[in-house]
Coordinates of all heavy atoms in Angstrom, one line a residue:
M1 N 117.4 -9.0 -64.4 CA 118.5 -8.2 -63.8 C 118.8 -8.7 -62.4 O 120.0 -8.8 -62.0 CB 118.2 -6.7 -63.8 CG 119.2 -5.8 -63.3 SD 120.6 -5.9 -64.5 CE 121.6 -4.6 -63.9
K2 N 117.8 -9.0 -61.7 CA 118.0 -9.6 -60.3 C 118.7 -10.9 -60.3 O 119.5 -11.2 -59.4 CB 116.6 -9.6 -59.6 CG 116.6 -9.7 -58.1 CD 115.3 -9.7 -57.6 CE 115.3 -9.5 -56.1 NZ 114.0 -9.4 -55.5
K3 N 118.4 -11.7 -61.3 CA 119.0 -13.0 -61.4 C 120.5 -12.9 -61.6 O 121.3 -13.7 -61.1 CB 118.3 -13.8 -62.5 CG 118.8 -15.2 -62.7 CD 118.1 -15.9 -63.8 CE 118.6 -17.4 -64.0 NZ 117.9 -18.1 -65.0
I4 N 120.9 -12.0 -62.5 CA 122.3 -11.7 -62.8 C 123.0 -11.3 -61.5 O 124.2 -11.7 -61.2 CB 122.5 -10.7 -63.9 CG1 122.1 -11.3 -65.2 CG2 123.9 -10.2 -64.0 CD1 122.0 -10.4 -66.4
I5 N 122.4 -10.4 -60.7 CA 123.1 -9.9 -59.5 C 123.3 -11.1 -58.5 O 124.3 -11.2 -57.9 CB 122.3 -8.8 -58.9 CG1 122.3 -7.6 -59.8 CG2 122.8 -8.4 -57.5 CD1 121.4 -6.4 -59.4
I6 N 122.2 -11.9 -58.3 CA 122.3 -13.0 -57.4 C 123.4 -14.0 -57.9 O 124.2 -14.5 -57.1 CB 121.0 -13.7 -57.3 CG1 120.0 -12.9 -56.6 CG2 121.1 -15.1 -56.6 CD1 118.6 -13.3 -56.6
T7 N 123.5 -14.2 -59.2 CA 124.5 -15.1 -59.8 C 125.9 -14.5 -59.5 O 126.8 -15.3 -59.1 CB 124.3 -15.3 -61.3 OG1 123.0 -15.8 -61.6 CG2 125.4 -16.2 -61.9
R8 N 126.1 -13.2 -59.7 CA 127.3 -12.6 -59.4 C 127.8 -12.7 -58.0 O 128.9 -13.0 -57.6 CB 127.3 -11.1 -59.8 CG 127.3 -10.9 -61.3 CD 127.2 -9.4 -61.6 NE 127.1 -9.3 -63.1 CZ 126.7 -8.2 -63.7 NH1 126.4 -7.1 -63.0 NH2 126.7 -8.1 -65.0
I9 N 126.8 -12.5 -57.1 CA 127.1 -12.6 -55.6 C 127.5 -14.1 -55.3 O 128.5 -14.3 -54.6 CB 125.9 -12.2 -54.8 CG1 125.7 -10.7 -54.9 CG2 126.0 -12.6 -53.3 CD1 124.4 -10.2 -54.4
I10 N 126.8 -15.0 -55.8 CA 127.2 -16.4 -55.6 C 128.5 -16.7 -56.1 O 129.4 -17.4 -55.4 CB 126.1 -17.4 -56.2 CG1 124.8 -17.3 -55.4 CG2 126.6 -18.8 -56.2 CD1 123.6 -18.0 -56.1
L11 N 128.9 -16.3 -57.3 CA 130.2 -16.5 -57.9 C 131.3 -15.8 -57.1 O 132.4 -16.4 -56.9 CB 130.2 -16.1 -59.4 CG 129.5 -17.0 -60.3 CD1 129.3 -16.3 -61.7 CD2 130.2 -18.3 -60.5
I12 N 131.0 -14.6 -56.6 CA 132.0 -13.9 -55.8 C 132.3 -14.7 -54.5 O 133.4 -14.8 -54.1 CB 131.6 -12.5 -55.5 CG1 131.7 -11.6 -56.8 CG2 132.4 -11.8 -54.4 CD1 131.0 -10.3 -56.8
I13 N 131.2 -15.2 -53.9 CA 131.4 -16.0 -52.7 C 132.2 -17.3 -53.0 O 133.1 -17.6 -52.2 CB 130.0 -16.3 -52.1 CG1 129.4 -15.1 -51.5 CG2 130.1 -17.4 -51.0 CD1 127.9 -15.2 -51.1
L14 N 131.9 -17.9 -54.1 CA 132.6 -19.1 -54.5 C 134.1 -18.8 -54.8 O 135.0 -19.6 -54.4 CB 132.0 -19.8 -55.7 CG 130.7 -20.5 -55.4 CD1 130.0 -21.0 -56.7 CD2 130.8 -21.6 -54.5
I15 N 134.4 -17.7 -55.4 CA 135.7 -17.3 -55.7 C 136.5 -17.0 -54.4 O 137.6 -17.4 -54.2 CB 135.8 -16.1 -56.6 CG1 135.4 -16.5 -58.1 CG2 137.2 -15.5 -56.7 CD1 135.1 -15.3 -59.0
I16 N 135.9 -16.3 -53.5 CA 136.5 -16.1 -52.1 C 136.8 -17.4 -51.4 O 137.8 -17.5 -50.8 CB 135.6 -15.1 -51.3 CG1 135.6 -13.7 -51.9 CG2 136.1 -15.1 -49.8 CD1 134.6 -12.7 -51.4
L17 N 135.8 -18.3 -51.5 CA 136.1 -19.6 -50.9 C 137.2 -20.4 -51.5 O 138.0 -21.0 -50.8 CB 134.8 -20.5 -50.9 CG 133.6 -20.0 -50.0 CD1 132.4 -20.8 -50.3 CD2 134.1 -20.1 -48.5
W18 N 137.3 -20.3 -52.9 CA 138.4 -20.9 -53.6 C 139.7 -20.3 -53.2 O 140.7 -21.0 -53.0 CB 138.1 -20.7 -55.1 CG 139.3 -21.0 -55.9 CD1 139.8 -22.2 -56.3 CD2 140.3 -20.1 -56.5 NE1 141.0 -22.1 -57.0 CE2 141.3 -20.8 -57.1 CE3 140.3 -18.7 -56.5 CZ2 142.3 -20.2 -57.9 CZ3 141.3 -18.0 -57.2 CH2 142.3 -18.8 -57.9
M19 N 139.7 -19.0 -53.1 CA 141.0 -18.3 -52.6 C 141.4 -18.7 -51.2 O 142.6 -18.9 -51.0 CB 140.8 -16.7 -52.7 CG 140.7 -16.2 -54.1 SD 140.2 -14.4 -54.0 CE 141.3 -13.8 -55.3
Y20 N 140.4 -18.9 -50.4 CA 140.7 -19.3 -49.0 C 141.3 -20.7 -49.0 O 142.2 -21.0 -48.4 CB 139.5 -19.3 -48.2 CG 139.6 -19.7 -46.8 CD1 140.2 -18.9 -45.8 CD2 139.1 -21.0 -46.4 CE1 140.3 -19.3 -44.5 CE2 139.3 -21.4 -45.1 CZ 139.9 -20.6 -44.1 OH 140.1 -21.0 -42.9
L21 N 140.7 -21.6 -49.9 CA 141.2 -23.0 -50.0 C 142.7 -23.0 -50.5 O 143.5 -23.7 -50.0 CB 140.3 -23.7 -50.9 CG 140.7 -25.2 -51.2 CD1 140.3 -26.0 -50.0 CD2 139.9 -25.7 -52.4
V22 N 142.9 -22.2 -51.6 CA 144.3 -22.2 -52.2 C 145.2 -21.6 -51.1 O 146.4 -22.1 -51.0 CB 144.3 -21.3 -53.4 CG1 145.7 -21.0 -53.9 CG2 143.5 -22.0 -54.6
F23 N 144.9 -20.6 -50.4 CA 145.7 -20.0 -49.4 C 146.0 -21.0 -48.3 O 147.1 -21.2 -47.8 CB 145.0 -18.8 -48.8 CG 146.0 -18.0 -47.9 CD1 146.9 -17.2 -48.4 CD2 145.8 -18.1 -46.5 CE1 147.7 -16.4 -47.5 CE2 146.6 -17.4 -45.6 CZ 147.6 -16.5 -46.1
G24 N 145.0 -21.8 -47.9 CA 145.2 -22.8 -46.9 C 146.1 -24.0 -47.4 O 147.0 -24.4 -46.6
F25 N 145.9 -24.4 -48.6 CA 146.8 -25.4 -49.1 C 148.3 -24.9 -49.3 O 149.2 -25.6 -49.1 CB 146.3 -26.0 -50.4 CG 145.2 -27.0 -50.3 CD1 144.1 -26.9 -51.2 CD2 145.2 -27.9 -49.3 CE1 143.1 -27.8 -51.0 CE2 144.2 -28.9 -49.2 CZ 143.1 -28.8 -50.0
S26 N 148.4 -23.6 -49.7 CA 149.7 -23.0 -49.8 C 150.5 -22.9 -48.5 O 151.7 -22.9 -48.5 CB 149.6 -21.6 -50.5 OG 149.1 -21.7 -51.7
G27 N 149.8 -22.9 -47.4 CA 150.4 -22.8 -46.1 C 150.9 -24.1 -45.6 O 151.6 -24.2 -44.6
Q28 N 150.7 -25.2 -46.3 CA 151.2 -26.5 -46.0 C 152.6 -26.7 -46.4 O 153.0 -26.2 -47.5 CB 150.3 -27.6 -46.6 CG 148.9 -27.7 -46.1 CD 148.2 -28.8 -46.8 OE1 148.5 -29.2 -47.9 NE2 147.2 -29.3 -46.2
D29 N 153.4 -27.4 -45.6 CA 154.7 -27.7 -46.1 C 154.6 -28.9 -47.0 O 153.6 -29.5 -47.2 CB 155.8 -27.9 -44.9 CG 155.3 -29.1 -44.1 OD1 154.6 -30.0 -44.5 OD2 155.8 -29.2 -42.9
G30 N 155.8 -29.2 -47.6 CA 155.8 -30.3 -48.6 C 155.4 -31.7 -48.0 O 154.8 -32.5 -48.7
E31 N 155.8 -31.9 -46.8 CA 155.5 -33.2 -46.1 C 154.0 -33.3 -45.9 O 153.4 -34.4 -46.2 CB 156.2 -33.2 -44.8 CG 156.1 -34.6 -44.1 CD 157.0 -34.6 -42.9 OE1 158.2 -34.2 -42.9 OE2 156.5 -35.1 -41.8
Q32 N 153.3 -32.3 -45.5 CA 151.8 -32.3 -45.3 C 151.1 -32.5 -46.6 O 150.2 -33.4 -46.8 CB 151.4 -31.0 -44.7 CG 151.7 -30.8 -43.2 CD 151.3 -29.5 -42.7 OE1 151.5 -28.5 -43.4 NE2 150.7 -29.4 -41.6
S33 N 151.6 -31.8 -47.6 CA 150.9 -31.9 -49.0 C 151.1 -33.3 -49.6 O 150.2 -33.9 -50.1 CB 151.5 -30.8 -49.9 OG 150.9 -30.9 -51.2
S34 N 152.3 -33.8 -49.4 CA 152.6 -35.2 -49.9 C 151.8 -36.2 -49.1 O 151.3 -37.2 -49.7 CB 154.1 -35.5 -49.8 OG 154.8 -34.8 -50.7
G35 N 151.6 -36.0 -47.9 CA 150.8 -36.9 -47.1 C 149.3 -37.0 -47.6 O 148.8 -38.1 -47.7
I36 N 148.8 -35.9 -47.9 CA 147.4 -35.8 -48.4 C 147.4 -36.5 -49.8 O 146.5 -37.4 -50.0 CB 146.9 -34.4 -48.5 CG1 146.7 -33.8 -47.2 CG2 145.6 -34.4 -49.3 CD1 146.4 -32.3 -47.1
S37 N 148.3 -36.2 -50.6 CA 148.4 -36.9 -51.9 C 148.6 -38.3 -51.8 O 148.0 -39.2 -52.6 CB 149.6 -36.3 -52.8 OG 149.4 -34.9 -53.0
Y38 N 149.4 -38.8 -50.9 CA 149.6 -40.2 -50.6 C 148.3 -40.9 -50.2 O 148.0 -42.0 -50.7 CB 150.7 -40.4 -49.6 CG 151.0 -41.9 -49.3 CD1 151.6 -42.7 -50.2 CD2 150.5 -42.4 -48.1 CE1 151.9 -44.0 -50.0 CE2 150.8 -43.8 -47.9 CZ 151.4 -44.6 -48.8 OH 151.6 -45.9 -48.5
K39 N 147.6 -40.3 -49.3 CA 146.3 -40.9 -48.9 C 145.4 -41.0 -50.1 O 144.7 -42.0 -50.2 CB 145.7 -40.0 -47.8 CG 146.4 -40.1 -46.5 CD 145.7 -39.1 -45.5 CE 146.5 -39.1 -44.2 NZ 145.9 -38.1 -43.2
I40 N 145.3 -40.0 -50.9 CA 144.4 -40.1 -52.1 C 145.0 -41.2 -53.1 O 144.2 -42.0 -53.6 CB 144.4 -38.7 -52.8 CG1 143.6 -37.7 -51.9 CG2 143.7 -38.8 -54.2 CD1 143.6 -36.3 -52.3
S41 N 146.3 -41.3 -53.2 CA 146.9 -42.3 -54.0 C 146.5 -43.7 -53.5 O 146.2 -44.6 -54.3 CB 148.4 -42.2 -54.0 OG 148.7 -40.9 -54.6
M42 N 146.5 -43.9 -52.2 CA 146.2 -45.1 -51.6 C 144.7 -45.5 -51.9 O 144.4 -46.7 -52.2 CB 146.4 -45.1 -50.1 CG 147.9 -45.2 -49.7 SD 148.7 -46.7 -50.1 CE 148.0 -47.7 -48.7
I43 N 143.9 -44.5 -51.8 CA 142.4 -44.8 -52.2 C 142.3 -45.2 -53.6 O 141.6 -46.1 -53.9 CB 141.6 -43.5 -51.8 CG1 141.5 -43.3 -50.3 CG2 140.2 -43.6 -52.4 CD1 141.0 -41.9 -49.9
L44 N 143.0 -44.4 -54.5 CA 142.9 -44.7 -55.9 C 143.4 -46.1 -56.3 O 143.0 -46.7 -57.3 CB 143.6 -43.6 -56.7 CG 143.0 -42.2 -56.7 CD1 144.0 -41.2 -57.4 CD2 141.7 -42.2 -57.4
T45 N 144.4 -46.5 -55.6 CA 145.1 -47.8 -55.9 C 144.5 -49.0 -55.1 O 145.0 -50.1 -55.2 CB 146.6 -47.8 -55.7 OG1 146.8 -47.5 -54.3 CG2 147.2 -46.7 -56.6
G46 N 143.5 -48.7 -54.3 CA 142.9 -49.8 -53.5 C 143.9 -50.3 -52.4 O 144.0 -51.5 -52.2
N47 N 144.6 -49.3 -51.8 CA 145.6 -49.5 -50.7 C 146.8 -50.4 -51.2 O 147.4 -51.0 -50.4 CB 144.9 -50.2 -49.5 CG 144.0 -49.3 -48.9 OD1 144.2 -48.1 -48.8 ND2 142.9 -49.8 -48.3
N48 N 147.2 -50.2 -52.5 CA 148.4 -50.9 -53.0 C 149.5 -49.8 -52.8 O 149.7 -48.9 -53.5 CB 148.3 -51.2 -54.4 CG 149.5 -52.0 -55.0 OD1 150.6 -51.8 -54.6 ND2 149.2 -52.8 -56.0
E49 N 150.3 -50.1 -51.7 CA 151.4 -49.1 -51.3 C 152.4 -48.9 -52.4 O 152.9 -47.8 -52.6 CB 152.0 -49.6 -50.0 CG 152.9 -48.6 -49.4 CD 153.4 -48.9 -48.0 OE1 152.8 -49.9 -47.4 OE2 154.3 -48.3 -47.6
E50 N 152.8 -50.0 -53.1 CA 153.9 -49.8 -54.1 C 153.4 -48.9 -55.2 O 154.2 -48.0 -55.6 CB 154.2 -51.2 -54.7 CG 155.0 -52.1 -53.8 CD 155.2 -53.5 -54.3 OE1 155.0 -53.6 -55.6 OE2 155.6 -54.4 -53.6
I51 N 152.2 -49.0 -55.7 CA 151.7 -48.2 -56.8 C 151.4 -46.8 -56.3 O 151.7 -45.8 -57.0 CB 150.5 -48.8 -57.5 CG1 150.9 -50.1 -58.1 CG2 149.9 -47.9 -58.5 CD1 149.7 -50.9 -58.7
A52 N 150.9 -46.7 -55.0 CA 150.6 -45.4 -54.5 C 151.8 -44.5 -54.3 O 151.8 -43.3 -54.6 CB 149.9 -45.6 -53.1
I53 N 152.9 -45.1 -54.0 CA 154.2 -44.4 -53.9 C 154.6 -43.8 -55.3 O 155.1 -42.7 -55.4 CB 155.3 -45.2 -53.3 CG1 155.0 -45.5 -51.8 CG2 156.7 -44.6 -53.5 CD1 156.0 -46.5 -51.1
I54 N 154.4 -44.6 -56.3 CA 154.8 -44.2 -57.7 C 153.9 -43.1 -58.2 O 154.4 -42.1 -58.8 CB 154.7 -45.4 -58.6 CG1 155.8 -46.4 -58.2 CG2 154.9 -45.0 -60.1 CD1 155.6 -47.8 -58.9
I55 N 152.6 -43.2 -57.9 CA 151.7 -42.2 -58.5 C 151.5 -40.9 -57.7 O 150.9 -39.9 -58.2 CB 150.3 -42.8 -58.9 CG1 149.5 -43.2 -57.6 CG2 150.4 -44.0 -59.8 CD1 148.0 -43.5 -57.9
E56 N 151.9 -40.9 -56.4 CA 151.7 -39.8 -55.5 C 152.2 -38.5 -56.1 O 151.4 -37.5 -56.0 CB 152.4 -40.1 -54.2 CG 152.2 -39.0 -53.1 CD 153.3 -37.9 -53.2 OE1 154.4 -38.2 -53.5 OE2 152.9 -36.7 -53.0
P57 N 153.4 -38.4 -56.7 CA 153.8 -37.1 -57.3 C 152.8 -36.6 -58.4 O 152.5 -35.4 -58.5 CB 155.2 -37.3 -57.8 CG 155.6 -38.6 -57.2 CD 154.4 -39.4 -56.8
Y58 N 152.3 -37.6 -59.2 CA 151.4 -37.2 -60.3 C 150.0 -36.8 -59.7 O 149.4 -35.8 -60.2 CB 151.2 -38.4 -61.2 CG 152.6 -38.8 -61.8 CD1 153.2 -39.9 -61.4 CD2 153.2 -38.0 -62.8 CE1 154.4 -40.3 -61.9 CE2 154.4 -38.4 -63.3 CZ 155.0 -39.5 -62.9 OH 156.2 -39.9 -63.4
V59 N 149.6 -37.4 -58.6 CA 148.3 -37.0 -58.0 C 148.5 -35.6 -57.5 O 147.6 -34.8 -57.6 CB 147.9 -38.0 -56.9 CG1 146.8 -37.5 -56.0 CG2 147.6 -39.4 -57.5
R60 N 149.6 -35.3 -56.9 CA 149.9 -34.0 -56.3 C 149.8 -32.9 -57.5 O 149.2 -31.9 -57.3 CB 151.2 -34.0 -55.7 CG 151.5 -32.8 -54.8 CD 152.7 -33.0 -54.0 NE 153.1 -31.8 -53.3 CZ 154.2 -31.6 -52.6 NH1 155.1 -32.6 -52.6 NH2 154.4 -30.5 -52.0
K61 N 150.5 -33.2 -58.6 CA 150.5 -32.2 -59.7 C 149.1 -32.0 -60.3 O 148.7 -30.9 -60.6 CB 151.4 -32.7 -60.8 CG 152.9 -32.8 -60.4 CD 153.4 -31.4 -60.2 CE 154.9 -31.4 -59.7 NZ 155.3 -30.2 -59.0
V62 N 148.3 -33.1 -60.4 CA 147.0 -33.0 -61.0 C 146.1 -32.2 -60.0 O 145.3 -31.4 -60.5 CB 146.4 -34.4 -61.2 CG1 144.9 -34.4 -61.5 CG2 147.1 -35.1 -62.4
A63 N 146.3 -32.4 -58.7 CA 145.5 -31.6 -57.7 C 145.8 -30.1 -57.9 O 144.9 -29.3 -57.8 CB 145.9 -32.1 -56.4
H64 N 147.1 -29.8 -58.0 CA 147.5 -28.4 -58.2 C 146.8 -27.8 -59.5 O 146.2 -26.7 -59.5 CB 149.0 -28.2 -58.3 CG 149.7 -28.2 -57.0 ND1 150.5 -29.3 -56.6 CD2 149.7 -27.3 -56.0 CE1 151.0 -29.1 -55.4 NE2 150.6 -27.9 -55.0
F65 N 146.9 -28.5 -60.5 CA 146.3 -28.1 -61.8 C 144.8 -27.9 -61.6 O 144.2 -26.9 -62.0 CB 146.6 -29.1 -62.9 CG 145.9 -28.7 -64.2 CD1 146.5 -27.8 -65.0 CD2 144.7 -29.3 -64.6 CE1 145.9 -27.4 -66.2 CE2 144.1 -28.9 -65.8 CZ 144.7 -28.0 -66.6
A66 N 144.1 -28.9 -61.0 CA 142.7 -28.9 -60.8 C 142.3 -27.7 -59.9 O 141.3 -27.0 -60.2 CB 142.1 -30.1 -60.3
E67 N 143.0 -27.5 -58.9 CA 142.8 -26.4 -57.9 C 142.7 -25.0 -58.7 O 141.8 -24.2 -58.5 CB 143.9 -26.4 -56.9 CG 143.8 -25.4 -55.8 CD 145.0 -25.6 -54.8 OE1 146.1 -26.0 -55.2 OE2 144.8 -25.2 -53.7
Y68 N 143.7 -24.8 -59.5 CA 143.8 -23.5 -60.2 C 142.8 -23.5 -61.4 O 142.3 -22.4 -61.8 CB 145.2 -23.2 -60.7 CG 146.0 -22.7 -59.5 CD1 146.8 -23.6 -58.8 CD2 145.9 -21.4 -59.0 CE1 147.5 -23.1 -57.7 CE2 146.6 -21.0 -58.0 CZ 147.4 -21.8 -57.3 OH 148.1 -21.4 -56.2
A69 N 142.5 -24.6 -62.0 CA 141.5 -24.7 -63.1 C 140.1 -24.2 -62.6 O 139.4 -23.5 -63.2 CB 141.5 -26.0 -63.7
V70 N 139.8 -24.7 -61.4 CA 138.5 -24.4 -60.8 C 138.5 -22.8 -60.6 O 137.4 -22.2 -60.9 CB 138.3 -25.1 -59.4 CG1 137.2 -24.5 -58.6 CG2 138.1 -26.5 -59.6
G71 N 139.5 -22.2 -60.1 CA 139.6 -20.8 -60.0 C 139.4 -20.0 -61.3 O 138.6 -19.1 -61.4
A72 N 140.1 -20.5 -62.3 CA 140.0 -19.8 -63.6 C 138.5 -20.0 -64.1 O 138.0 -19.0 -64.7 CB 140.9 -20.5 -64.6
I73 N 137.9 -21.1 -63.9 CA 136.5 -21.3 -64.4 C 135.6 -20.4 -63.6 O 134.7 -19.8 -64.2 CB 136.1 -22.8 -64.3 CG1 136.9 -23.6 -65.3 CG2 134.6 -22.9 -64.5 CD1 136.8 -25.1 -65.1
L74 N 135.7 -20.3 -62.3 CA 134.9 -19.4 -61.5 C 135.0 -17.9 -61.9 O 134.0 -17.2 -62.1 CB 135.2 -19.6 -60.0 CG 134.7 -20.9 -59.4 CD1 135.3 -21.0 -58.0 CD2 133.2 -21.0 -59.4
I75 N 136.2 -17.5 -62.2 CA 136.5 -16.1 -62.6 C 135.9 -15.9 -64.0 O 135.3 -14.9 -64.2 CB 138.0 -15.8 -62.5 CG1 138.4 -15.8 -61.0 CG2 138.3 -14.5 -63.2 CD1 139.9 -15.8 -60.9
Y76 N 136.1 -16.9 -64.9 CA 135.5 -16.8 -66.2 C 134.0 -16.6 -66.1 O 133.4 -15.8 -66.8 CB 135.9 -18.0 -67.1 CG 135.2 -17.9 -68.4 CD1 135.8 -17.2 -69.4 CD2 134.0 -18.5 -68.7 CE1 135.2 -17.1 -70.7 CE2 133.4 -18.4 -69.9 CZ 134.0 -17.7 -70.9 OH 133.4 -17.6 -72.2
L77 N 133.4 -17.5 -65.3 CA 131.9 -17.4 -65.2 C 131.4 -16.0 -64.6 O 130.4 -15.5 -65.0 CB 131.4 -18.5 -64.3 CG 131.5 -20.0 -64.9 CD1 131.1 -21.0 -63.8 CD2 130.6 -20.1 -66.1
L78 N 132.2 -15.5 -63.7 CA 131.9 -14.2 -63.2 C 131.9 -13.1 -64.3 O 131.1 -12.3 -64.5 CB 132.7 -13.8 -62.0 CG 132.5 -12.4 -61.4 CD1 131.1 -12.3 -60.8 CD2 133.5 -12.1 -60.4
L79 N 133.0 -13.2 -65.0 CA 133.2 -12.2 -66.1 C 132.1 -12.4 -67.2 O 131.7 -11.5 -67.9 CB 134.6 -12.3 -66.7 CG 135.7 -11.9 -65.8 CD1 137.1 -12.2 -66.5 CD2 135.6 -10.5 -65.4
Y80 N 131.7 -13.7 -67.4 CA 130.6 -14.0 -68.3 C 129.3 -13.3 -68.1 O 128.6 -13.0 -69.0 CB 130.4 -15.5 -68.4 CG 129.5 -16.0 -69.5 CD1 130.0 -16.0 -70.8 CD2 128.2 -16.3 -69.3 CE1 129.2 -16.5 -71.9 CE2 127.3 -16.7 -70.3 CZ 127.8 -16.8 -71.6 OH 127.0 -17.2 -72.6
T81 N 129.1 -13.0 -66.8 CA 127.8 -12.3 -66.4 C 127.8 -10.8 -66.9 O 126.8 -10.2 -66.9 CB 127.6 -12.3 -64.9 OG1 128.6 -11.6 -64.2 CG2 127.5 -13.8 -64.4
F82 N 129.0 -10.3 -67.3 CA 129.1 -9.0 -67.9 C 129.2 -9.1 -69.4 O 130.2 -9.3 -70.0 CB 130.4 -8.3 -67.4 CG 130.4 -8.1 -65.9 CD1 131.0 -9.0 -65.1 CD2 129.8 -6.9 -65.3 CE1 131.0 -8.8 -63.7 CE2 129.8 -6.8 -64.0 CZ 130.4 -7.7 -63.1
Q83 N 128.0 -9.0 -70.0 CA 127.9 -9.2 -71.5 C 128.6 -8.3 -72.3 O 128.9 -8.7 -73.5 CB 126.4 -9.2 -71.8 CG 125.5 -10.3 -71.2 CD 126.0 -11.7 -71.5 OE1 126.3 -12.0 -72.7 NE2 126.0 -12.6 -70.5
K84 N 129.0 -7.2 -71.8 CA 129.8 -6.2 -72.7 C 131.2 -6.6 -72.8 O 131.9 -6.1 -73.7 CB 129.7 -4.8 -72.1 CG 128.3 -4.2 -72.2 CD 128.2 -2.8 -71.6 CE 126.8 -2.3 -71.7 NZ 126.7 -0.9 -71.3
I85 N 131.7 -7.6 -72.0 CA 133.1 -8.0 -72.1 C 133.2 -9.1 -73.2 O 132.4 -10.1 -73.1 CB 133.6 -8.5 -70.7 CG1 133.5 -7.4 -69.7 CG2 135.0 -9.1 -70.9 CD1 133.8 -7.9 -68.3
S86 N 134.1 -8.9 -74.1 CA 134.2 -9.9 -75.2 C 134.7 -11.2 -74.6 O 135.4 -11.3 -73.6 CB 135.1 -9.4 -76.3 OG 136.5 -9.4 -75.8
S87 N 134.5 -12.3 -75.4 CA 134.9 -13.6 -75.0 C 136.4 -13.7 -74.9 O 136.9 -14.3 -74.0 CB 134.4 -14.6 -76.1 OG 134.8 -15.9 -75.7
K88 N 137.1 -13.1 -75.8 CA 138.6 -13.1 -75.8 C 139.1 -12.4 -74.5 O 140.0 -13.0 -73.9 CB 139.1 -12.4 -77.0 CG 140.6 -12.4 -77.1 CD 141.1 -11.7 -78.4 CE 142.6 -11.8 -78.6 NZ 143.0 -11.2 -79.9
I89 N 138.5 -11.3 -74.2 CA 138.9 -10.6 -72.9 C 138.6 -11.5 -71.7 O 139.4 -11.5 -70.8 CB 138.3 -9.2 -72.8 CG1 138.7 -8.3 -74.0 CG2 138.6 -8.6 -71.5 CD1 140.2 -8.0 -74.0
R90 N 137.5 -12.1 -71.7 CA 137.1 -13.0 -70.6 C 138.1 -14.1 -70.4 O 138.6 -14.5 -69.3 CB 135.7 -13.6 -70.8 CG 134.6 -12.6 -70.5 CD 133.3 -13.3 -70.4 NE 132.9 -14.0 -71.7 CZ 132.0 -13.5 -72.5 NH1 131.3 -12.4 -72.2 NH2 131.6 -14.1 -73.6
N91 N 138.5 -14.7 -71.6 CA 139.4 -15.8 -71.5 C 140.8 -15.4 -70.9 O 141.3 -16.0 -70.0 CB 139.6 -16.4 -72.9 CG 138.4 -17.2 -73.4 OD1 137.6 -17.6 -72.7 ND2 138.3 -17.3 -74.7
I92 N 141.3 -14.4 -71.5 CA 142.6 -13.8 -71.1 C 142.6 -13.4 -69.7 O 143.5 -13.7 -68.9 CB 143.1 -12.7 -72.1 CG1 143.3 -13.4 -73.5 CG2 144.3 -12.0 -71.6 CD1 143.5 -12.3 -74.6
S93 N 141.6 -12.6 -69.3 CA 141.5 -12.1 -68.0 C 141.4 -13.2 -66.9 O 142.1 -13.1 -65.9 CB 140.3 -11.1 -67.9 OG 140.4 -10.0 -68.7
S94 N 140.6 -14.2 -67.2 CA 140.4 -15.2 -66.2 C 141.8 -16.0 -66.0 O 142.1 -16.3 -64.8 CB 139.3 -16.2 -66.6 OG 139.6 -16.8 -67.7
I95 N 142.5 -16.2 -67.0 CA 143.8 -16.8 -66.9 C 144.8 -16.0 -66.2 O 145.5 -16.4 -65.3 CB 144.3 -17.3 -68.3 CG1 143.4 -18.4 -68.9 CG2 145.8 -17.7 -68.2 CD1 143.7 -18.7 -70.3
I96 N 144.9 -14.7 -66.5 CA 145.8 -13.8 -65.9 C 145.5 -13.6 -64.4 O 146.4 -13.6 -63.6 CB 145.8 -12.4 -66.7 CG1 146.5 -12.6 -68.0 CG2 146.6 -11.3 -65.9 CD1 146.4 -11.4 -69.0
I97 N 144.3 -13.4 -64.1 CA 143.9 -13.2 -62.7 C 144.2 -14.5 -61.9 O 144.8 -14.3 -60.8 CB 142.4 -12.9 -62.6 CG1 142.1 -11.5 -63.1 CG2 141.9 -13.0 -61.1 CD1 140.6 -11.2 -63.3
T98 N 144.0 -15.6 -62.4 CA 144.4 -16.9 -61.7 C 145.9 -17.0 -61.6 O 146.3 -17.4 -60.5 CB 143.8 -18.1 -62.5 OG1 142.4 -17.9 -62.7 CG2 144.1 -19.4 -61.8
I99 N 146.6 -16.7 -62.6 CA 148.0 -16.7 -62.5 C 148.6 -15.8 -61.4 O 149.5 -16.1 -60.6 CB 148.7 -16.5 -63.9 CG1 148.5 -17.7 -64.8 CG2 150.3 -16.2 -63.7 CD1 148.9 -17.5 -66.2
I100 N 148.1 -14.6 -61.5 CA 148.5 -13.5 -60.5 C 148.2 -14.0 -59.1 O 149.0 -13.9 -58.2 CB 147.9 -12.2 -60.8 CG1 148.4 -11.6 -62.0 CG2 148.0 -11.2 -59.6 CD1 147.7 -10.3 -62.6
Y101 N 147.0 -14.6 -58.9 CA 146.7 -15.1 -57.5 C 147.6 -16.2 -57.1 O 148.1 -16.3 -56.0 CB 145.2 -15.6 -57.4 CG 144.9 -15.9 -56.0 CD1 144.7 -14.9 -55.0 CD2 144.8 -17.2 -55.6 CE1 144.5 -15.2 -53.7 CE2 144.6 -17.5 -54.3 CZ 144.4 -16.6 -53.3 OH 144.2 -16.9 -52.0

């Protein structure tokens, strides 16, 4: 029982940190966000500017997807610690909570 409580506390802390991260990224304007994506694109392409410019929008989209996927997984794991909640409810709830956030 103690292990489950500790796991829940850790997951809640991770979810709060994730929310803080999403909130911080949401506060950036398009230029700042593109700048970060461009830097990552440059790293991925070995500083090939032509290819980095082409893949930058895709890197940005994948980053958004990954950002929210992490949140959905963390929420699912928290709900998983409540054994009385069915798997279907956990799946649907984690997706809905992430979308609402």
